[in-house]
Amino acid sequence: MLDPRVGTLRVPINSVPFQFGRRGDLSLAIANQTVSAVPAEIAEENGWVTSRDLASTNGMYVSGTPIMNRATLFEGDVIEF
C-alpha cells in the first residue's frame, strides 16, 4: 500500500527469501528503470531478518544507511533504492 505522507510502499512479507527488483517474476516487481533487475532480497539468517544487496547498480539503503552487503532489519526500517 502506498503511503502518501512519505511516498513509500508498504508490502507484507509472508515468506523468505523475498526478492524484489525490476524483473517481473520476483516477489515484488518494481516497474522503474532506476531499480536494478534484482537488487535485493529479504531473508532469515540465524533467527534474524536481514536484507541483502545483490550487487545492485545504484545501491540500497536501510533507514537512510547505505548497505554494501547485508543488514539486520528491525520493525519500522525502510528499504530504499
Side-chain angles (χ1 to χ4, degrees):
M1 168 174 40
L2 185 62
D3 184 338
R5 295 170 297 147
V6 293
T8 59
L9 181 65
R10 295 178 186 261
V11 177
I13 298 170
N14 299 315
S15 64
V16 290
F18 182 93
Q19 291 188 333
F20 45 98
R22 197 176 65 243
R23 223 174 62 201
D25 64 335
L26 301 174
S27 302
L28 174 63
I30 303 167
N32 187 315
Q33 290 300 314
T34 63
V35 175
S36 298
V38 186
E41 75 176 3
I42 294 174
E44 181 193 355
E45 297 178 28
N46 300 318
W48 294 94
V49 177
T50 62
S51 182
R52 185 166 65 112
D53 187 315
L54 300 174
S56 64
T57 302
N58 297 317
M60 180 179 81
Y61 299 80
V62 172
S63 296
T65 302
I67 303 304
M68 303 312 281
N69 187 13
R70 71 185 66 217
T72 301
L73 296 176
F74 298 94
E75 188 170 339
D77 278 344
V78 175
I79 298 173
E80 303 170 86
F81 303 101

Coordinates of all heavy atoms in Angstrom, one line a residue:
M1 N 0.8 -1.2 0.0 CA 0.0 0.0 0.0 C 0.9 1.2 0.0 O 1.8 1.3 0.8 CB -0.9 0.0 1.2 CG -1.6 1.3 1.5 SD -2.8 1.3 2.8 CE -2.1 0.4 4.1
L2 N 0.6 2.2 -0.9 CA 1.4 3.4 -1.0 C 1.0 4.4 0.2 O -0.2 4.6 0.4 CB 1.1 4.1 -2.3 CG 1.9 5.4 -2.6 CD1 3.4 5.0 -2.6 CD2 1.6 5.9 -3.9
D3 N 1.9 4.8 0.9 CA 1.7 5.8 2.0 C 1.9 7.2 1.4 O 3.1 7.6 1.2 CB 2.7 5.5 3.1 CG 2.4 6.4 4.3 OD1 1.8 7.5 4.2 OD2 2.8 6.0 5.4
P4 N 0.9 8.0 1.2 CA 1.1 9.3 0.5 C 1.8 10.3 1.4 O 2.4 11.2 0.8 CB -0.4 9.8 0.3 CG -1.2 9.0 1.3 CD -0.5 7.7 1.5
R5 N 1.9 10.1 2.7 CA 2.7 11.0 3.5 C 4.2 11.0 3.3 O 4.8 12.0 3.3 CB 2.4 10.7 5.0 CG 1.0 10.9 5.4 CD 0.7 10.4 6.8 NE 1.0 8.9 6.8 CZ 1.5 8.3 7.8 NH1 1.8 8.8 8.9 NH2 1.6 6.9 7.7
V6 N 4.7 9.8 2.9 CA 6.1 9.7 2.8 C 6.5 9.1 1.4 O 7.7 8.9 1.1 CB 6.8 8.9 3.9 CG1 6.7 9.6 5.2 CG2 6.2 7.5 4.0
G7 N 5.6 8.8 0.6 CA 5.9 8.2 -0.7 C 6.5 6.9 -0.7 O 7.3 6.5 -1.5
T8 N 6.1 6.1 0.3 CA 6.7 4.7 0.4 C 5.6 3.7 0.1 O 4.4 4.0 0.2 CB 7.2 4.4 1.8 OG1 6.2 4.6 2.8 CG2 8.4 5.4 2.1
L9 N 6.0 2.5 -0.2 CA 5.1 1.4 -0.5 C 5.3 0.4 0.7 O 6.4 -0.1 0.9 CB 5.5 0.7 -1.8 CG 4.6 -0.4 -2.3 CD1 3.2 0.0 -2.5 CD2 5.2 -1.0 -3.5
R10 N 4.2 0.1 1.4 CA 4.3 -0.9 2.4 C 3.8 -2.3 1.9 O 2.7 -2.4 1.3 CB 3.4 -0.5 3.6 CG 3.9 0.7 4.2 CD 2.9 1.2 5.4 NE 3.3 2.4 5.9 CZ 4.0 2.6 7.0 NH1 4.4 1.5 7.7 NH2 4.4 3.8 7.4
V11 N 4.7 -3.3 2.0 CA 4.4 -4.6 1.4 C 4.6 -5.7 2.5 O 5.6 -5.7 3.1 CB 5.4 -4.9 0.3 CG1 5.2 -6.2 -0.3 CG2 5.4 -3.8 -0.8
P12 N 3.5 -6.5 2.7 CA 3.7 -7.6 3.6 C 4.6 -8.6 3.1 O 4.6 -8.9 1.9 CB 2.3 -8.1 3.8 CG 1.6 -7.7 2.5 CD 2.2 -6.4 2.1
I13 N 5.5 -9.2 3.9 CA 6.4 -10.2 3.5 C 6.0 -11.5 4.3 O 6.1 -11.6 5.5 CB 7.8 -9.8 3.9 CG1 8.2 -8.6 3.1 CG2 8.8 -10.9 3.6 CD1 9.5 -7.9 3.5
N14 N 5.4 -12.4 3.5 CA 4.8 -13.6 4.1 C 5.8 -14.8 4.1 O 5.5 -15.8 4.7 CB 3.5 -13.9 3.5 CG 2.5 -12.8 3.7 OD1 2.4 -12.3 4.8 ND2 1.8 -12.4 2.6
S15 N 6.8 -14.8 3.2 CA 7.7 -15.9 3.2 C 9.1 -15.3 2.7 O 9.2 -14.3 2.1 CB 7.3 -16.9 2.2 OG 7.2 -16.4 0.9
V16 N 10.1 -16.0 3.1 CA 11.5 -15.7 2.7 C 12.2 -16.8 2.0 O 11.8 -18.0 2.3 CB 12.3 -15.2 4.0 CG1 11.8 -13.9 4.5 CG2 12.3 -16.2 5.1
P17 N 13.1 -16.6 1.1 CA 13.6 -15.3 0.7 C 12.6 -14.6 -0.1 O 11.8 -15.2 -0.8 CB 14.8 -15.6 -0.1 CG 14.6 -17.0 -0.6 CD 13.8 -17.7 0.4
F18 N 12.6 -13.3 0.0 CA 11.7 -12.4 -0.7 C 12.5 -11.5 -1.5 O 13.2 -10.6 -1.0 CB 10.9 -11.6 0.4 CG 9.9 -10.6 -0.2 CD1 8.6 -11.0 -0.3 CD2 10.2 -9.3 -0.5 CE1 7.6 -10.1 -0.8 CE2 9.3 -8.4 -1.0 CZ 8.0 -8.8 -1.2
Q19 N 12.6 -11.7 -2.8 CA 13.4 -10.9 -3.7 C 12.6 -9.8 -4.4 O 11.4 -10.0 -4.7 CB 14.0 -11.8 -4.8 CG 15.1 -12.7 -4.3 CD 15.8 -13.4 -5.4 OE1 15.3 -13.6 -6.5 NE2 17.1 -13.8 -5.1
F20 N 13.2 -8.7 -4.6 CA 12.5 -7.6 -5.2 C 13.4 -6.8 -6.1 O 14.6 -6.8 -5.9 CB 11.9 -6.7 -4.2 CG 12.7 -6.3 -3.0 CD1 13.4 -5.1 -3.0 CD2 12.9 -7.2 -1.9 CE1 14.2 -4.8 -1.9 CE2 13.7 -6.9 -0.8 CZ 14.3 -5.7 -0.8
G21 N 12.8 -6.3 -7.2 CA 13.5 -5.5 -8.2 C 12.7 -5.3 -9.4 O 11.5 -5.5 -9.4
R22 N 13.3 -5.0 -10.5 CA 12.5 -4.7 -11.7 C 12.0 -5.9 -12.5 O 11.0 -5.8 -13.2 CB 13.4 -3.8 -12.6 CG 12.7 -3.1 -13.7 CD 13.6 -2.2 -14.5 NE 14.6 -3.0 -15.3 CZ 15.9 -2.9 -15.1 NH1 16.4 -2.0 -14.2 NH2 16.7 -3.6 -15.8
R23 N 12.7 -7.0 -12.3 CA 12.3 -8.2 -13.0 C 10.9 -8.7 -12.6 O 10.5 -8.7 -11.5 CB 13.3 -9.4 -12.8 CG 13.6 -10.1 -14.0 CD 14.7 -11.1 -13.7 NE 14.3 -12.1 -12.8 CZ 15.1 -12.9 -12.0 NH1 16.4 -12.8 -12.2 NH2 14.7 -13.7 -11.2
G24 N 10.0 -9.0 -13.6 CA 8.6 -9.3 -13.4 C 8.3 -10.6 -12.6 O 7.2 -10.8 -12.1
D25 N 9.3 -11.5 -12.5 CA 9.0 -12.8 -11.8 C 9.4 -12.8 -10.3 O 9.4 -13.9 -9.7 CB 9.7 -13.9 -12.6 CG 11.2 -13.8 -12.5 OD1 11.7 -12.7 -12.4 OD2 11.9 -14.9 -12.7
L26 N 9.7 -11.7 -9.7 CA 10.1 -11.6 -8.4 C 8.9 -11.5 -7.4 O 7.8 -11.3 -7.8 CB 11.1 -10.4 -8.2 CG 12.3 -10.5 -9.0 CD1 13.1 -9.2 -8.9 CD2 13.2 -11.7 -8.7
S27 N 9.2 -11.6 -6.1 CA 8.2 -11.5 -5.1 C 7.5 -10.1 -5.2 O 6.3 -10.0 -5.0 CB 8.8 -11.7 -3.7 OG 9.4 -13.0 -3.6
L28 N 8.3 -9.1 -5.5 CA 7.8 -7.7 -5.7 C 8.5 -7.2 -6.9 O 9.8 -7.0 -6.9 CB 8.1 -6.9 -4.4 CG 7.8 -5.4 -4.6 CD1 6.3 -5.2 -4.8 CD2 8.2 -4.6 -3.3
A29 N 7.8 -6.9 -7.9 CA 8.3 -6.3 -9.2 C 8.1 -4.8 -9.1 O 7.0 -4.3 -8.9 CB 7.6 -6.9 -10.4
I30 N 9.1 -4.0 -9.3 CA 9.1 -2.6 -9.2 C 9.3 -2.0 -10.6 O 10.4 -2.1 -11.1 CB 10.1 -2.0 -8.2 CG1 9.9 -2.6 -6.9 CG2 10.1 -0.5 -8.2 CD1 11.0 -2.4 -5.9
A31 N 8.3 -1.5 -11.2 CA 8.4 -1.0 -12.6 C 9.0 0.4 -12.7 O 8.3 1.4 -12.8 CB 7.0 -1.0 -13.2
N32 N 10.3 0.4 -12.5 CA 11.0 1.7 -12.5 C 12.4 1.4 -13.1 O 13.1 0.6 -12.5 CB 11.1 2.3 -11.1 CG 11.6 3.7 -11.1 OD1 12.7 4.0 -11.7 ND2 11.0 4.6 -10.4
Q33 N 12.8 2.1 -14.1 CA 14.1 1.9 -14.7 C 15.3 2.2 -13.8 O 16.4 1.8 -14.1 CB 14.2 2.7 -16.0 CG 13.3 2.1 -17.1 CD 13.6 0.7 -17.5 OE1 14.7 0.3 -17.7 NE2 12.6 -0.1 -17.6
T34 N 15.1 3.0 -12.8 CA 16.2 3.3 -11.9 C 16.5 2.2 -10.9 O 17.5 2.2 -10.1 CB 15.9 4.6 -11.1 OG1 14.8 4.4 -10.2 CG2 15.7 5.8 -12.0
V35 N 15.6 1.1 -10.9 CA 15.8 0.0 -10.0 C 16.4 -1.1 -10.8 O 16.0 -1.4 -11.9 CB 14.4 -0.5 -9.4 CG1 14.6 -1.7 -8.6 CG2 13.8 0.7 -8.6
S36 N 17.4 -1.8 -10.2 CA 18.1 -2.9 -10.8 C 17.1 -4.1 -11.0 O 16.1 -4.2 -10.3 CB 19.3 -3.4 -10.0 OG 20.3 -2.3 -9.9
A37 N 17.5 -5.0 -11.9 CA 16.6 -6.2 -12.2 C 16.4 -7.0 -10.9 O 15.2 -7.4 -10.7 CB 17.3 -7.0 -13.3
V38 N 17.4 -7.3 -10.2 CA 17.2 -8.0 -8.9 C 18.2 -7.4 -7.9 O 19.3 -7.9 -7.6 CB 17.5 -9.5 -9.0 CG1 17.2 -10.2 -7.7 CG2 16.8 -10.1 -10.2
P39 N 17.8 -6.2 -7.3 CA 18.8 -5.5 -6.5 C 18.9 -6.1 -5.1 O 20.0 -6.0 -4.5 CB 18.2 -4.1 -6.4 CG 16.8 -4.3 -6.6 CD 16.6 -5.4 -7.5
A40 N 17.9 -6.8 -4.5 CA 18.0 -7.1 -3.1 C 17.0 -8.3 -2.8 O 16.1 -8.6 -3.5 CB 17.7 -5.9 -2.2
E41 N 17.3 -8.8 -1.6 CA 16.3 -9.8 -1.0 C 16.3 -9.7 0.5 O 17.2 -9.2 1.1 CB 16.7 -11.2 -1.4 CG 17.9 -11.8 -0.7 CD 18.2 -13.2 -1.1 OE1 17.5 -13.8 -1.9 OE2 19.1 -13.8 -0.5
I42 N 15.2 -10.1 1.0 CA 15.0 -10.2 2.4 C 15.0 -11.7 2.8 O 14.3 -12.5 2.1 CB 13.7 -9.6 2.9 CG1 13.8 -8.1 2.6 CG2 13.4 -9.8 4.4 CD1 12.5 -7.3 2.9
A43 N 15.7 -12.1 3.8 CA 15.9 -13.5 4.2 C 15.9 -13.6 5.7 O 16.0 -12.6 6.4 CB 17.1 -14.1 3.5
E44 N 15.9 -14.8 6.2 CA 16.1 -15.1 7.6 C 17.5 -15.8 7.7 O 17.8 -16.7 7.0 CB 15.1 -16.0 8.1 CG 15.3 -16.3 9.6 CD 14.4 -17.4 10.2 OE1 13.6 -18.0 9.4 OE2 14.7 -17.8 11.3
E45 N 18.3 -15.3 8.7 CA 19.6 -15.8 8.9 C 19.8 -15.9 10.4 O 19.8 -14.9 11.1 CB 20.7 -15.0 8.3 CG 20.6 -14.9 6.8 CD 21.7 -14.0 6.2 OE1 22.8 -13.8 6.8 OE2 21.5 -13.4 5.2
N46 N 19.9 -17.1 10.9 CA 20.2 -17.4 12.4 C 19.1 -16.7 13.2 O 19.4 -16.2 14.3 CB 21.6 -16.9 12.8 CG 22.6 -17.7 12.0 OD1 22.6 -18.9 11.8 ND2 23.6 -16.9 11.5
G47 N 17.9 -16.7 12.8 CA 16.8 -16.2 13.6 C 16.5 -14.7 13.4 O 15.6 -14.1 14.0
W48 N 17.4 -14.0 12.6 CA 17.2 -12.6 12.3 C 16.7 -12.4 10.9 O 17.0 -13.2 10.0 CB 18.6 -11.9 12.5 CG 19.1 -11.9 13.8 CD1 20.0 -12.8 14.4 CD2 18.8 -11.0 14.9 NE1 20.2 -12.5 15.7 CE2 19.5 -11.4 16.0 CE3 18.0 -9.9 15.0 CZ2 19.4 -10.7 17.2 CZ3 17.9 -9.2 16.2 CH2 18.6 -9.6 17.3
V49 N 15.9 -11.3 10.7 CA 15.5 -11.0 9.4 C 16.5 -10.0 8.8 O 16.9 -9.0 9.4 CB 14.1 -10.3 9.4 CG1 13.7 -9.8 8.0 CG2 13.1 -11.2 10.0
T50 N 17.0 -10.3 7.6 CA 18.1 -9.5 7.0 C 17.7 -9.0 5.6 O 16.9 -9.7 4.9 CB 19.4 -10.3 6.9 OG1 19.3 -11.4 6.1 CG2 19.9 -10.7 8.3
S51 N 18.3 -8.0 5.2 CA 18.2 -7.5 3.8 C 19.6 -7.6 3.2 O 20.6 -7.2 3.8 CB 17.7 -6.1 3.7 OG 17.5 -5.7 2.4
R52 N 19.7 -8.1 2.0 CA 21.0 -8.3 1.3 C 20.9 -7.6 0.0 O 20.0 -7.8 -0.8 CB 21.3 -9.7 1.2 CG 22.6 -10.1 0.7 CD 22.9 -11.5 0.9 NE 22.1 -12.4 0.2 CZ 22.5 -13.2 -0.8 NH1 23.7 -13.2 -1.2 NH2 21.6 -14.0 -1.5
D53 N 21.9 -6.8 -0.3 CA 22.1 -6.2 -1.6 C 22.7 -7.2 -2.5 O 23.7 -7.8 -2.2 CB 23.0 -5.0 -1.5 CG 23.1 -4.2 -2.8 OD1 23.3 -4.8 -3.9 OD2 23.1 -2.9 -2.7
L54 N 22.1 -7.4 -3.7 CA 22.5 -8.5 -4.6 C 23.3 -7.8 -5.8 O 23.0 -8.0 -7.0 CB 21.3 -9.3 -5.2 CG 20.5 -10.0 -4.1 CD1 19.3 -10.6 -4.7 CD2 21.4 -11.0 -3.4
A55 N 24.3 -7.0 -5.4 CA 25.1 -6.3 -6.4 C 24.3 -5.3 -7.3 O 24.5 -5.3 -8.5 CB 25.9 -7.2 -7.2
S56 N 23.4 -4.6 -6.6 CA 22.6 -3.6 -7.4 C 23.5 -2.5 -8.0 O 24.6 -2.2 -7.4 CB 21.5 -3.0 -6.5 OG 22.1 -2.2 -5.5
T57 N 23.1 -1.9 -9.0 CA 23.8 -0.8 -9.7 C 23.9 0.4 -8.9 O 25.0 1.0 -8.7 CB 23.2 -0.5 -11.1 OG1 23.2 -1.7 -11.8 CG2 24.0 0.5 -11.8
N58 N 22.8 0.8 -8.3 CA 22.7 2.1 -7.6 C 22.8 2.0 -6.1 O 22.7 3.0 -5.4 CB 21.5 2.9 -8.0 CG 21.5 3.2 -9.5 OD1 22.5 3.6 -10.0 ND2 20.4 3.0 -10.2
G59 N 22.9 0.8 -5.6 CA 23.0 0.7 -4.1 C 21.6 0.6 -3.4 O 20.6 0.8 -4.0
M60 N 21.7 0.2 -2.2 CA 20.5 0.1 -1.3 C 20.7 0.7 0.0 O 21.9 0.8 0.5 CB 20.2 -1.4 -1.1 CG 19.0 -1.7 -0.3 SD 18.8 -3.5 -0.1 CE 19.9 -3.9 1.2
Y61 N 19.7 1.2 0.6 CA 19.8 1.9 1.9 C 18.7 1.3 2.8 O 17.6 0.9 2.4 CB 19.5 3.4 1.8 CG 20.4 4.1 0.9 CD1 20.3 4.1 -0.5 CD2 21.5 4.8 1.4 CE1 21.2 4.7 -1.3 CE2 22.4 5.5 0.6 CZ 22.2 5.4 -0.8 OH 23.1 6.1 -1.6
V62 N 19.1 1.1 4.1 CA 18.1 0.7 5.1 C 18.0 1.8 6.1 O 19.0 2.2 6.8 CB 18.5 -0.6 5.8 CG1 17.6 -0.9 7.0 CG2 18.5 -1.8 4.8
S63 N 16.9 2.5 6.2 CA 16.6 3.6 7.1 C 17.7 4.7 6.9 O 18.2 5.2 7.9 CB 16.5 3.2 8.5 OG 15.3 2.3 8.6
G64 N 18.1 5.0 5.6 CA 19.0 6.0 5.3 C 20.5 5.6 5.4 O 21.3 6.4 5.0
T65 N 20.8 4.4 5.8 CA 22.2 4.0 5.9 C 22.5 3.1 4.7 O 21.8 2.2 4.4 CB 22.4 3.1 7.2 OG1 22.1 3.9 8.3 CG2 23.9 2.7 7.3
P66 N 23.6 3.5 3.9 CA 24.0 2.7 2.8 C 24.4 1.3 3.2 O 25.1 1.1 4.2 CB 25.1 3.4 2.1 CG 25.4 4.6 3.0 CD 24.5 4.6 4.1
I67 N 23.9 0.3 2.4 CA 24.2 -1.1 2.7 C 25.1 -1.7 1.6 O 24.7 -1.6 0.5 CB 22.9 -1.9 2.8 CG1 22.0 -1.4 3.9 CG2 23.2 -3.4 3.1 CD1 22.6 -1.2 5.3
M68 N 26.3 -2.1 2.0 CA 27.2 -2.7 1.0 C 26.9 -4.2 0.8 O 27.1 -4.7 -0.3 CB 28.6 -2.5 1.4 CG 28.9 -1.0 1.6 SD 28.4 0.1 0.3 CE 29.6 -0.2 -0.9
N69 N 26.5 -4.9 1.8 CA 26.3 -6.3 1.7 C 25.0 -6.7 2.3 O 24.0 -7.0 1.6 CB 27.5 -7.1 2.3 CG 27.4 -8.6 2.1 OD1 26.7 -9.1 1.3 ND2 28.2 -9.3 2.9
R70 N 24.9 -6.7 3.6 CA 23.6 -7.1 4.2 C 23.4 -6.3 5.5 O 24.4 -5.8 6.1 CB 23.6 -8.6 4.5 CG 24.5 -9.0 5.6 CD 24.5 -10.5 5.8 NE 25.1 -11.1 4.6 CZ 24.7 -12.2 4.0 NH1 23.7 -12.9 4.6 NH2 25.2 -12.7 2.9
A71 N 22.2 -6.3 6.0 CA 21.9 -5.5 7.2 C 20.7 -6.3 7.9 O 19.9 -6.9 7.3 CB 21.4 -4.1 6.9
T72 N 20.8 -6.3 9.2 CA 19.7 -6.8 10.0 C 18.6 -5.8 10.0 O 18.8 -4.6 10.1 CB 20.2 -7.1 11.5 OG1 21.3 -8.0 11.4 CG2 19.0 -7.7 12.3
L73 N 17.3 -6.3 9.8 CA 16.2 -5.5 9.7 C 15.4 -5.5 11.1 O 15.3 -6.6 11.7 CB 15.2 -5.9 8.6 CG 15.8 -5.8 7.2 CD1 14.8 -6.4 6.2 CD2 16.2 -4.4 6.9
F74 N 14.9 -4.4 11.4 CA 14.1 -4.2 12.6 C 12.7 -3.6 12.2 O 12.6 -2.9 11.2 CB 14.8 -3.4 13.6 CG 16.1 -4.0 14.1 CD1 17.3 -3.6 13.5 CD2 16.1 -4.9 15.1 CE1 18.5 -4.2 13.9 CE2 17.3 -5.5 15.5 CZ 18.5 -5.1 14.9
E75 N 11.7 -3.8 13.0 CA 10.4 -3.3 12.7 C 10.5 -1.8 12.5 O 11.2 -1.1 13.3 CB 9.4 -3.6 13.9 CG 8.0 -3.2 13.6 CD 7.0 -3.7 14.6 OE1 7.3 -4.6 15.3 OE2 5.9 -3.1 14.6
G76 N 9.9 -1.3 11.5 CA 9.9 0.1 11.1 C 11.0 0.6 10.2 O 11.0 1.7 9.7
D77 N 12.0 -0.3 9.9 CA 13.0 0.0 8.9 C 12.4 0.3 7.6 O 11.4 -0.4 7.2 CB 14.1 -1.1 8.8 CG 15.1 -1.1 9.9 OD1 15.2 0.0 10.6 OD2 15.8 -2.1 10.1
V78 N 13.1 1.1 6.8 CA 12.6 1.5 5.4 C 13.8 1.1 4.5 O 14.9 1.5 4.7 CB 12.3 3.0 5.3 CG1 12.0 3.4 3.9 CG2 11.2 3.4 6.2
I79 N 13.5 0.3 3.5 CA 14.4 -0.1 2.5 C 14.3 0.9 1.3 O 13.2 1.0 0.8 CB 14.3 -1.5 2.0 CG1 14.5 -2.4 3.2 CG2 15.2 -1.9 0.9 CD1 14.2 -3.9 3.0
E80 N 15.4 1.5 0.8 CA 15.3 2.4 -0.3 C 16.3 2.0 -1.4 O 17.4 1.4 -1.1 CB 15.7 3.8 0.2 CG 14.9 4.3 1.3 CD 15.4 5.6 1.9 OE1 15.1 6.7 1.3 OE2 16.2 5.5 2.8
F81 N 16.0 2.3 -2.6 CA 16.9 2.1 -3.8 C 17.4 3.4 -4.4 O 16.6 4.3 -4.4 CB 16.2 1.2 -4.8 CG 15.7 0.0 -4.3 CD1 14.3 -0.2 -4.1 CD2 16.5 -1.1 -4.2 CE1 13.8 -1.4 -3.6 CE2 16.0 -2.3 -3.7 CZ 14.7 -2.4 -3.4

